[in-house]
Amino acid sequence: MPIDPKLAQSIDQALKYLPDVIFDIQNRKDYAKNPAFAADISRLNDFKQQLMIVKDGPMPSSSTLAGIQGTVTNTILPMIESLISANLVMANMGQLNTNRTIEPKDAIDQNVKLASLQNALQGMLPYLPKAERKLIPPRVVGGKLLFKH
């Protein structure tokens, strides 16, 4: 028995944007300087694998779907929000600011893709069973917003 067609469509949307977001993070000029980015990539790749299994595998259990809902709500969306906020800070820094680690245009371009993924994931949530939400505030390190790991 296949999954709900609306859930399958929302998974397809998320899978459409995930590779671009992963690519952008991996190709940031400051990627090697920030180990949090590698952790974010690992989480996004694990999440991508979970989505592919649910989409293409046998009918997932409600606990599997609740686990994906929990991952989206507790991990992926807060991480995306943190990345968007950090990119906004970078985009608004002056040309000569030494704290700026990426170009404003790159930060803005990344935010377009992050926002597309964010919208796709938020569109997926109504089709998933509820999981407990844990609020994880972003952390600031050296004037940069980072997702709390």
Side-chain angles (χ1 to χ4, degrees):
M1 182 171 163
I3 61 173
D4 179 300
K6 290 182 180 181
L7 175 58
Q9 183 179 7
S10 64
I11 289 173
D12 284 339
Q13 282 293 319
L15 289 172
K16 174 183 171 184
Y17 297 115
L18 270 166
D20 288 339
V21 167
I22 291 168
F23 179 83
D24 281 353
I25 294 170
Q26 287 176 323
N27 288 294
R28 287 177 63 113
K29 292 178 184 176
D30 58 349
Y31 180 80
K33 297 176 188 172
N34 188 341
F37 289 138
D40 291 344
I41 293 299
S42 177
R43 284 184 188 86
L44 289 171
N45 278 323
D46 289 346
F47 178 64
K48 179 181 170 186
Q49 186 64 46
Q50 288 176 338
L51 291 180
M52 290 171 32
I53 289 169
V54 166
K55 181 180 172 277
D56 297 329
M59 181 64 180
S61 67
S62 60
S63 64
T64 299
L65 294 176
I68 288 179
Q69 194 275 351
T71 299
V72 169
T73 304
N74 298 326
T75 304
I76 306 299
L77 285 176
M79 179 177 54
I80 290 171
E81 292 163 8
S82 179
L83 289 168
I84 288 172
S85 294
N87 282 344
L88 287 173
V89 169
M90 291 292 156
N92 291 322
M93 287 183 176
Q95 281 296 102
L96 301 177
N97 193 322
T98 58
N99 290 324
R100 192 179 75 195
T101 57
I102 62 172
E103 295 296 319
K105 182 186 179 331
D106 294 339
I108 292 166
D109 290 345
Q110 288 176 13
N111 275 1
V112 169
K113 294 174 187 173
L114 286 165
S116 296
L117 178 58
Q118 182 181 43
N119 289 336
L121 295 175
Q122 288 169 338
M124 183 189 307
L125 289 176
Y127 306 108
L128 294 168
K130 300 287 184 242
E132 184 180 326
R133 172 146 170 103
K134 297 183 289 187
L135 296 177
I136 303 171
R139 60 187 165 106
V140 178
V141 175
K144 300 175 187 144
L145 274 175
L146 301 174
F147 179 72
K148 185 174 183 176
H149 300 288

